[in-house]
Amino acid sequence: MTVPIAERMSRIGTETAFAVSLEAGTLARQGKKIYPFHLGDMNIITPQNVMDAAIDAMKKGKTGYCPTAGIPELREALAKDIAASHKISLTSDNITIQPGGKPTIGKFIMTAMNPGDKVLYPNPGYPIYESQIEFHGGKGIPYGYKEAQNGFVLDMDAIYQGVKAGAKILIYNNYQNPTGASSPKAEMEELARLCVKSDIFVLADEAYYDIRYGGEPVSIASFPGMAERTVMLYTFSKKFAMTGWRLGSAVGPAQFIEYISKINVNDESCSNHFVQWAALAGLKGSNEGPAIILATLKERRDVLVDMLNAIPGVKCFRPEATFYLFPNVTGVMKRKKIDNVEELRKACLYETGVSFCTRRHFGRPLPGETDQYIRFAYSGIDVDQIREGMKKLTDFLK
Ligand SMILES: Cc1ncc(COP(=O)(O)O)c(C=O)c1O
């Protein structure tokens, strides 16, 4: 018998970073020492108060279904927390709890986009945007990033062109995976003005809003006229080191959020009940846990950036946010006479055990793109291992 596979399945994408993980895992099982920089998972333990609250909730019987949009206590607390950190006004009606940050992407696309609609999305960027746009019959218009003095900035020309070409939806990931880009205030202001003027609806993927090492985070939703046209992706995954617990939220205009909750009923009924009580304890508890997580990540960032920049032919910014680095390795590749960045990745993995992703794992390179980049995630590797792995990589590449 032929298994029936619907036509739309030919359009669904994936995260090819998981293939790198598989390759590194196979080598590890064969006894090779691996330094894992490929996945944005975390090897930092969830704060104690969150774990205690989960156990307590289970013991109190919070193990059945709960409201599809989330327990009222968590929706209310999250509305308050995000209103304060974003300087906007929100109520529970603006919040629908999700099993992770990721589900907000597909549900946003399903709710906002008709087949054939054009959607601007970042490339290099999180690969799920393109996958969901194409899966649901939309037309993705990629925009890139450019190197500036202190970091990557949006290619605003590409965004203007996309709007001119008829895009009515923008996916905007500030603070960005994989480049670590933080929009300067003026850039965000310009983007917000364009969205209001051209009636663009926005998904603001703020998965890394709280992973900031300096300064105050800013949300595009806080600019005039933006709150009513922005849906924010919120996640507990990074701030509370809860990647495997699967809890997040879609935050936005009440009428839109109601439809996302309708998808919740159809997809998963509700998010994990006792995990919601645990997340509530995280939100209401002291900031000690998140502060330790940030300090740990910052130390890793500084060691890694310094060691990368010490390799001749590597240029790496020191991002103020996220736990990703996107070093330019054009110089190394020229010196080593390697044309293909995947070849560089494999050589480093097999020779040194240092495992990272490349530009190719974050979308098809755009026309005119000549520089070569790799991506390091430092959320899943301790600082002594960073030093050890980077020493091997330096010896191999210098
Ligand atoms: C840009 C971006 N958005 C969303 C997510 C999804 O996060 P979650 O683990 O909460 O589903 C990730 C995870 O790595 C991400 O990098």
Side-chain angles (χ1 to χ4, degrees):
M1 175 212 160
T2 317
V3 177
I5 306 289
E7 182 271 329
R8 75 175 73 84
M9 296 315 292
S10 65
R11 299 193 305 264
I12 197 160
T14 186
E15 276 189 63
T16 50
F18 284 106
V20 178
S21 191
L22 217 63
E23 195 178 358
T26 304
L27 287 177
R29 275 190 302 283
Q30 289 164 1
K32 184 159 185 70
K33 170 90 190 183
I34 296 294
Y35 301 91
F37 291 100
H38 46 260
L39 265 196
D41 203 357
M42 300 176 84
N43 69 341
I44 302 171
I45 199 147
T46 306
Q48 191 64 43
N49 61 328
V50 176
M51 293 199 284
D52 290 346
I55 293 166
D56 193 44
M58 275 187 266
K59 286 184 176 162
K60 285 183 175 149
K62 308 288 188 193
T63 47
Y65 296 122
C66 66
T68 198
I71 57 171
E73 291 84 347
L74 181 61
R75 291 174 73 199
E76 202 171 302
L78 197 55
K80 263 195 195 148
D81 192 80
I82 298 176
S85 65
H86 287 55
K87 302 181 179 68
I88 53 179
S89 78
L90 291 172
T91 72
S92 302
D93 292 343
N94 302 113
I95 305 279
T96 177
I97 300 298
Q98 302 296 317
K102 195 183 247 179
T104 292
I105 301 171
K107 290 177 184 179
F108 169 87
I109 292 289
M110 272 192 273
T111 308
M113 187 196 81
N114 282 309
D117 281 355
K118 293 172 178 159
V119 181
L120 274 157
Y121 72 98
N123 174 0
Y126 194 49
I128 299 308
Y129 310 136
E130 185 185 75
S131 169
Q132 289 288 346
I133 295 165
E134 293 186 356
F135 185 50
H136 293 290
K139 168 123 187 43
I141 304 183
Y143 63 86
Y145 285 78
K146 295 195 285 201
E147 284 190 29
Q149 185 84 12
N150 296 317
F152 290 92
V153 292
L154 291 173
D155 181 352
M156 283 302 293
D157 290 342
I159 294 180
Y160 280 112
Q161 272 171 27
V163 171
K164 223 168 148 192
K168 283 286 169 204
I169 298 172
L170 166 74
I171 298 180
Y172 172 53
N173 175 210
N174 193 54
Y175 308 96
Q176 212 245 0
N177 175 11
T179 61
S182 301
S183 279
K185 187 151 181 267
E187 181 181 273
M188 215 187 274
E189 233 159 30
E190 183 179 355
L191 195 58
R193 259 200 312 270
L194 174 66
C195 291
V196 172
K197 184 169 151 243
S198 307
D199 198 19
I200 307 287
F201 202 65
V202 178
L203 172 65
D205 182 339
E206 298 185 344
Y208 300 95
Y209 194 82
D210 296 299
I211 306 298
R212 260 195 84 87
Y213 310 110
E216 281 275 303
V218 181
S219 170
I220 192 152
S222 67
F223 288 81
M226 287 307 294
E228 60 262 39
R229 60 176 67 255
T230 305
V231 174
M232 289 163 271
L233 178 157
Y234 177 92
T235 182
F236 290 92
S237 294
K238 327 283 173 179
K239 180 175 180 183
F240 297 100
M242 290 173 72
T243 50
W245 295 61
R246 310 309 302 138
L247 203 71
S249 179
V251 184
Q255 190 196 358
F256 194 91
I257 290 302
E258 217 174 286
Y259 279 104
I260 293 197
S261 295
K262 260 193 182 164
I263 306 178
N264 297 358
V265 185
N266 282 269
D267 275 5
E268 67 271 349
S269 296
C270 62
S271 294
N272 186 315
H273 189 172
F274 56 83
V275 170
Q276 294 187 48
W277 290 100
L280 180 64
L283 280 184
K284 291 200 155 171
S286 92
N287 195 44
E288 193 186 339
I292 291 172
I293 293 167
L294 266 188
T296 307
L297 290 171
K298 186 168 189 270
E299 185 190 9
R300 295 177 186 182
R301 177 199 67 171
D302 288 338
V303 168
L304 187 55
V305 169
D306 289 345
M307 292 189 84
L308 279 165
N309 279 325
I311 301 173
V314 175
K315 180 183 160 204
C316 184
F317 293 120
R318 193 181 303 267
E320 280 296 302
T322 78
F323 39 60
Y324 302 112
L325 303 176
F326 202 57
N328 186 326
V329 291
T330 315
V332 166
M333 288 179 59
K334 275 199 184 127
R335 194 157 44 72
K336 287 270 178 189
K337 298 192 175 36
I338 299 175
D339 298 329
N340 183 333
V341 75
E342 267 296 291
E343 211 180 297
L344 176 75
R345 179 186 73 75
K346 277 189 187 278
C348 294
L349 174 61
Y350 284 82
E351 293 300 324
T352 69
V354 173
S355 181
F356 52 79
C357 287
T358 72
R359 161 70 176 102
R360 304 285 171 89
H361 298 99
F362 300 93
R364 291 178 281 267
L366 299 172
E369 222 180 278
T370 50
D371 279 8
Q372 304 281 354
Y373 296 90
I374 56 178
R375 191 206 69 169
F376 279 68
Y378 51 86
S379 49
I381 178 164
D382 292 334
V383 76
D384 63 318
Q385 292 299 291
I386 292 178
R387 284 202 180 93
E388 190 178 297
M390 285 304 297
K391 181 154 185 340
K392 289 186 188 173
L393 189 71
T394 307
D395 290 344
F396 177 60
L397 290 178
K398 80 181 177 202

Short mmCIF file of all heavy atoms in Angstrom, two decimals, residues 15 40 99-103 105 126 129 173 175-177 205-208 233-238 242-243 246-248 323-324 375, ligand 1:
data_model
loop_
_atom_site.label_atom_id
_atom_site.label_comp_id
_atom_site.label_asym_id
_atom_site.label_seq_id
_atom_site.Cartn_x
_atom_site.Cartn_y
_atom_site.Cartn_z
N GLU A 15 14.44 22.05 10.95
CA GLU A 15 15.63 22.72 11.49
C GLU A 15 16.81 21.83 11.20
O GLU A 15 16.98 20.80 11.86
CB GLU A 15 15.49 22.91 13.00
CG GLU A 15 14.71 24.14 13.38
CD GLU A 15 14.79 24.40 14.89
OE1 GLU A 15 15.89 24.66 15.39
OE2 GLU A 15 13.74 24.35 15.54
N GLY A 40 20.89 25.53 20.23
CA GLY A 40 20.58 26.54 21.24
C GLY A 40 19.87 25.93 22.44
O GLY A 40 18.92 26.52 22.96
N PRO A 99 2.40 25.67 24.47
CA PRO A 99 3.42 24.69 24.87
C PRO A 99 4.78 25.02 24.26
O PRO A 99 5.29 24.32 23.39
CB PRO A 99 2.86 23.37 24.33
CG PRO A 99 1.94 23.75 23.23
CD PRO A 99 1.44 25.13 23.50
N GLY A 100 5.37 26.15 24.68
CA GLY A 100 6.66 26.61 24.15
C GLY A 100 6.49 27.92 23.40
O GLY A 100 5.36 28.41 23.21
N GLY A 101 7.62 28.50 22.99
CA GLY A 101 7.56 29.72 22.18
C GLY A 101 7.23 29.38 20.73
O GLY A 101 6.48 30.09 20.05
N LYS A 102 7.77 28.28 20.27
CA LYS A 102 7.67 27.91 18.85
C LYS A 102 6.23 27.83 18.32
O LYS A 102 5.97 28.30 17.22
CB LYS A 102 8.40 26.59 18.64
CG LYS A 102 8.68 26.27 17.19
CD LYS A 102 9.34 24.90 17.08
CE LYS A 102 10.76 24.99 16.59
NZ LYS A 102 11.40 23.67 16.51
N PRO A 103 5.27 27.24 19.06
CA PRO A 103 3.91 27.11 18.50
C PRO A 103 3.31 28.45 18.08
O PRO A 103 2.44 28.50 17.21
CB PRO A 103 3.11 26.49 19.65
CG PRO A 103 4.12 25.79 20.49
CD PRO A 103 5.37 26.60 20.40
N ILE A 105 4.59 30.67 16.32
CA ILE A 105 4.95 31.00 14.94
C ILE A 105 3.90 30.43 13.97
O ILE A 105 3.30 31.16 13.18
CB ILE A 105 6.37 30.48 14.59
CG1 ILE A 105 7.40 31.10 15.54
CG2 ILE A 105 6.70 30.77 13.11
CD1 ILE A 105 8.79 30.50 15.43
N TYR A 126 15.67 32.14 11.99
CA TYR A 126 15.15 30.88 12.54
C TYR A 126 14.37 30.17 11.43
O TYR A 126 13.44 30.76 10.84
CB TYR A 126 14.25 31.25 13.72
CG TYR A 126 13.88 30.12 14.63
CD1 TYR A 126 14.84 29.24 15.13
CD2 TYR A 126 12.56 29.95 15.03
CE1 TYR A 126 14.48 28.22 15.99
CE2 TYR A 126 12.19 28.94 15.89
CZ TYR A 126 13.16 28.07 16.36
OH TYR A 126 12.80 27.07 17.23
N TYR A 129 10.24 30.00 10.42
CA TYR A 129 9.40 31.02 9.76
C TYR A 129 9.11 30.61 8.31
O TYR A 129 7.97 30.56 7.88
CB TYR A 129 10.07 32.41 9.74
CG TYR A 129 10.63 32.90 11.05
CD1 TYR A 129 11.88 33.50 11.10
CD2 TYR A 129 9.90 32.80 12.23
CE1 TYR A 129 12.40 33.98 12.29
CE2 TYR A 129 10.41 33.27 13.42
CZ TYR A 129 11.67 33.86 13.45
OH TYR A 129 12.19 34.32 14.62
N ASN A 173 12.62 39.39 14.39
CA ASN A 173 13.20 38.68 15.55
C ASN A 173 14.31 39.53 16.15
O ASN A 173 15.45 39.45 15.76
CB ASN A 173 13.74 37.31 15.07
CG ASN A 173 14.48 36.53 16.13
OD1 ASN A 173 15.38 35.75 15.83
ND2 ASN A 173 14.10 36.69 17.39
N TYR A 175 15.72 40.20 19.80
CA TYR A 175 17.14 39.97 19.57
C TYR A 175 17.34 38.67 18.78
O TYR A 175 16.73 37.70 19.12
CB TYR A 175 17.79 40.03 20.92
CG TYR A 175 17.34 41.34 21.58
CD1 TYR A 175 16.24 41.37 22.46
CD2 TYR A 175 17.93 42.56 21.21
CE1 TYR A 175 15.80 42.59 22.99
CE2 TYR A 175 17.49 43.77 21.75
CZ TYR A 175 16.42 43.77 22.62
OH TYR A 175 15.97 44.97 23.12
N GLN A 176 18.26 38.71 17.80
CA GLN A 176 18.13 37.76 16.71
C GLN A 176 19.00 36.50 16.79
O GLN A 176 20.18 36.55 17.14
CB GLN A 176 18.44 38.49 15.39
CG GLN A 176 17.65 37.95 14.21
CD GLN A 176 18.51 37.30 13.15
OE1 GLN A 176 19.72 37.24 13.25
NE2 GLN A 176 17.88 36.80 12.09
N ASN A 177 18.38 35.40 16.41
CA ASN A 177 19.06 34.14 16.17
C ASN A 177 19.13 33.98 14.64
O ASN A 177 18.08 34.02 14.01
CB ASN A 177 18.22 32.99 16.78
CG ASN A 177 18.78 31.62 16.47
OD1 ASN A 177 19.90 31.48 15.99
ND2 ASN A 177 18.00 30.59 16.76
N ASP A 205 9.16 38.10 17.30
CA ASP A 205 9.69 36.94 18.01
C ASP A 205 10.68 37.44 19.05
O ASP A 205 11.80 37.84 18.73
CB ASP A 205 10.36 35.99 17.00
CG ASP A 205 10.90 34.73 17.69
OD1 ASP A 205 11.10 34.76 18.91
OD2 ASP A 205 11.12 33.73 16.98
N GLU A 206 10.22 37.42 20.31
CA GLU A 206 11.03 37.97 21.41
C GLU A 206 11.56 36.86 22.31
O GLU A 206 11.65 37.02 23.53
CB GLU A 206 10.20 39.00 22.19
CG GLU A 206 9.78 40.17 21.30
CD GLU A 206 9.04 41.27 22.05
OE1 GLU A 206 8.59 41.03 23.18
OE2 GLU A 206 8.92 42.38 21.48
N ALA A 207 11.92 35.74 21.68
CA ALA A 207 12.40 34.59 22.46
C ALA A 207 13.61 34.97 23.33
O ALA A 207 13.82 34.38 24.39
CB ALA A 207 12.76 33.44 21.53
N TYR A 208 14.39 35.98 22.90
CA TYR A 208 15.61 36.35 23.65
C TYR A 208 15.50 37.71 24.33
O TYR A 208 16.52 38.31 24.68
CB TYR A 208 16.83 36.29 22.70
CG TYR A 208 16.99 34.90 22.15
CD1 TYR A 208 16.44 34.56 20.91
CD2 TYR A 208 17.57 33.90 22.90
CE1 TYR A 208 16.51 33.25 20.43
CE2 TYR A 208 17.64 32.60 22.45
CZ TYR A 208 17.11 32.28 21.21
OH TYR A 208 17.16 30.99 20.76
N LEU A 233 5.94 36.82 20.50
CA LEU A 233 6.24 35.45 20.93
C LEU A 233 7.01 35.56 22.23
O LEU A 233 8.07 36.19 22.27
CB LEU A 233 7.07 34.75 19.85
CG LEU A 233 7.54 33.30 20.09
CD1 LEU A 233 7.83 32.62 18.76
CD2 LEU A 233 8.75 33.20 21.01
N TYR A 234 6.44 35.00 23.30
CA TYR A 234 7.10 34.97 24.60
C TYR A 234 7.44 33.53 24.93
O TYR A 234 6.68 32.62 24.58
CB TYR A 234 6.17 35.54 25.69
CG TYR A 234 6.77 35.46 27.08
CD1 TYR A 234 7.49 36.54 27.60
CD2 TYR A 234 6.66 34.30 27.85
CE1 TYR A 234 8.07 36.46 28.86
CE2 TYR A 234 7.24 34.23 29.11
CZ TYR A 234 7.94 35.31 29.60
OH TYR A 234 8.53 35.22 30.85
N THR A 235 8.57 33.32 25.59
CA THR A 235 8.88 31.95 26.03
C THR A 235 9.53 31.94 27.41
O THR A 235 10.25 32.88 27.78
CB THR A 235 9.78 31.22 25.03
OG1 THR A 235 10.00 29.89 25.50
CG2 THR A 235 11.13 31.90 24.83
N PHE A 236 9.22 30.88 28.18
CA PHE A 236 9.91 30.66 29.47
C PHE A 236 11.22 29.91 29.26
O PHE A 236 11.99 29.74 30.18
CB PHE A 236 9.00 29.85 30.41
CG PHE A 236 7.81 30.64 30.90
CD1 PHE A 236 6.60 30.61 30.23
CD2 PHE A 236 7.92 31.43 32.03
CE1 PHE A 236 5.50 31.33 30.67
CE2 PHE A 236 6.83 32.17 32.49
CZ PHE A 236 5.62 32.12 31.80
N SER A 237 11.44 29.42 28.02
CA SER A 237 12.56 28.51 27.75
C SER A 237 13.91 29.05 28.15
O SER A 237 14.74 28.32 28.70
CB SER A 237 12.61 28.17 26.25
OG SER A 237 11.49 27.44 25.87
N LYS A 238 14.18 30.32 27.82
CA LYS A 238 15.55 30.83 27.97
C LYS A 238 15.74 31.53 29.31
O LYS A 238 16.68 31.24 30.03
CB LYS A 238 15.88 31.80 26.82
CG LYS A 238 15.23 31.47 25.48
CD LYS A 238 15.90 30.34 24.75
CE LYS A 238 15.10 29.96 23.51
NZ LYS A 238 15.65 28.91 22.72
N MET A 242 14.24 26.64 30.75
CA MET A 242 13.16 25.66 30.76
C MET A 242 12.89 25.11 29.37
O MET A 242 11.74 24.82 29.03
CB MET A 242 11.87 26.31 31.32
CG MET A 242 11.92 26.61 32.80
SD MET A 242 10.47 27.55 33.35
CE MET A 242 9.17 26.33 33.28
N THR A 243 13.94 24.95 28.56
CA THR A 243 13.71 24.55 27.15
C THR A 243 12.88 23.27 27.03
O THR A 243 12.02 23.17 26.17
CB THR A 243 15.04 24.37 26.39
OG1 THR A 243 15.90 23.53 27.17
CG2 THR A 243 15.74 25.70 26.15
N ARG A 246 8.68 23.10 27.94
CA ARG A 246 7.76 23.53 26.89
C ARG A 246 6.66 24.45 27.43
O ARG A 246 5.54 24.03 27.70
CB ARG A 246 7.12 22.33 26.14
CG ARG A 246 8.08 21.28 25.64
CD ARG A 246 9.24 21.86 24.85
NE ARG A 246 8.82 22.63 23.68
CZ ARG A 246 9.39 23.79 23.33
NH1 ARG A 246 10.39 24.29 24.03
NH2 ARG A 246 8.99 24.42 22.26
N LEU A 247 6.99 25.72 27.59
CA LEU A 247 5.98 26.69 27.96
C LEU A 247 6.32 28.08 27.42
O LEU A 247 7.46 28.53 27.52
CB LEU A 247 5.79 26.77 29.49
CG LEU A 247 4.42 27.32 29.90
CD1 LEU A 247 3.31 26.32 29.59
CD2 LEU A 247 4.37 27.70 31.36
N GLY A 248 5.32 28.71 26.83
CA GLY A 248 5.49 30.06 26.30
C GLY A 248 4.13 30.71 26.15
O GLY A 248 3.15 30.26 26.75
N PHE A 323 22.21 34.05 22.99
CA PHE A 323 23.43 33.28 23.30
C PHE A 323 24.03 32.70 22.03
O PHE A 323 24.49 31.58 22.01
CB PHE A 323 23.20 32.23 24.41
CG PHE A 323 21.87 31.49 24.36
CD1 PHE A 323 21.51 30.72 23.26
CD2 PHE A 323 21.02 31.53 25.46
CE1 PHE A 323 20.32 30.02 23.25
CE2 PHE A 323 19.81 30.83 25.47
CZ PHE A 323 19.47 30.07 24.35
N TYR A 324 24.02 33.54 21.00
CA TYR A 324 24.58 33.13 19.71
C TYR A 324 25.66 34.09 19.24
O TYR A 324 25.60 35.30 19.50
CB TYR A 324 23.47 33.10 18.64
CG TYR A 324 22.34 32.19 19.00
CD1 TYR A 324 21.08 32.71 19.30
CD2 TYR A 324 22.53 30.81 19.07
CE1 TYR A 324 20.03 31.86 19.66
CE2 TYR A 324 21.48 29.97 19.42
CZ TYR A 324 20.25 30.49 19.72
OH TYR A 324 19.22 29.66 20.07
N ARG A 375 27.84 29.70 12.90
CA ARG A 375 27.12 30.12 14.11
C ARG A 375 27.48 29.25 15.31
O ARG A 375 27.46 28.02 15.23
CB ARG A 375 25.61 30.06 13.92
CG ARG A 375 24.92 30.76 15.11
CD ARG A 375 23.53 30.28 15.39
NE ARG A 375 23.50 28.91 15.90
CZ ARG A 375 22.42 28.35 16.42
NH1 ARG A 375 21.29 29.03 16.49
NH2 ARG A 375 22.44 27.09 16.85
C1 LIG B 1 14.33 32.84 17.37
C2 LIG B 1 13.65 31.76 18.12
N1 LIG B 1 12.31 31.80 18.24
C3 LIG B 1 11.65 30.84 18.90
C4 LIG B 1 12.31 29.79 19.48
C5 LIG B 1 11.51 28.72 20.18
O1 LIG B 1 11.73 28.64 21.49
P1 LIG B 1 10.98 27.56 22.42
O2 LIG B 1 12.02 26.60 22.88
O3 LIG B 1 10.42 28.34 23.53
O4 LIG B 1 9.93 26.91 21.62
C6 LIG B 1 13.70 29.70 19.38
C7 LIG B 1 14.43 28.57 19.97
O5 LIG B 1 15.59 28.35 19.83
C8 LIG B 1 14.39 30.72 18.68
O6 LIG B 1 15.72 30.70 18.53
#
